[in-house]
């Protein structure tokens, strides 16, 4: 849903989203230059159809640039 340099900004968005979504997480990502971003990710869909439905829901919530990301399962 967003990527922020500011950890606080990521947490503010995550808290707002937790009011209406069950699955909200923040992950840290370091880019090639060493800059850290805090990514706010939502939803765990089991199928592509579920993911597409969630994408449409987020767009309706005002997140026009929402997109799907396939995550590998933890080992």
């Amino acid at each position: 849903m967003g990527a922020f340099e500011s950890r606080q900004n990521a947490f503010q968005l995550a808290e707002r989203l937790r009011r209406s979504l069950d699955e909200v997480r923040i992950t840290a990502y370091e880019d090639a230059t060493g800059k850290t971003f805090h990514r706010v990710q939502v939803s765990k869909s089991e199928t592509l159809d579920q993911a597409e439905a969630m994408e449409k829901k987020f767009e309706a919530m005002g997140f026009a640039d929402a997109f799907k990301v396939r995550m590998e399962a933890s080992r």
Side-chain angles (χ1 to χ4, degrees):
M1 298 305 285
F4 303 88
E5 287 184 65
S6 165
R7 187 173 185 252
Q8 182 62 32
N9 288 348
F11 275 93
Q12 287 176 349
L13 176 59
E15 286 305 309
R16 193 174 108 209
L17 293 170
R18 282 187 179 113
R19 293 182 199 135
S20 58
L21 301 169
D22 293 329
E23 181 72 31
V24 178
R25 64 192 166 283
I26 298 172
T27 59
Y29 167 78
E30 188 174 307
D31 72 6
T33 67
K35 188 178 282 190
T36 299
F37 292 91
H38 305 278
R39 293 176 170 170
V40 179
Q41 299 171 324
V42 297
S43 182
K44 257 190 184 174
S45 301
E46 298 294 326
T47 67
L48 183 57
D49 287 340
Q50 289 174 343
E52 288 174 346
M54 290 303 293
E55 184 178 21
K56 285 181 177 38
K57 177 180 179 177
F58 299 139
E59 289 171 352
M61 291 171 64
F63 295 96
D65 296 328
F67 59 93
K68 301 174 289 298
V69 176
R70 181 176 183 214
M71 306 293 289
E72 295 295 323
S74 301
R75 295 179 184 209

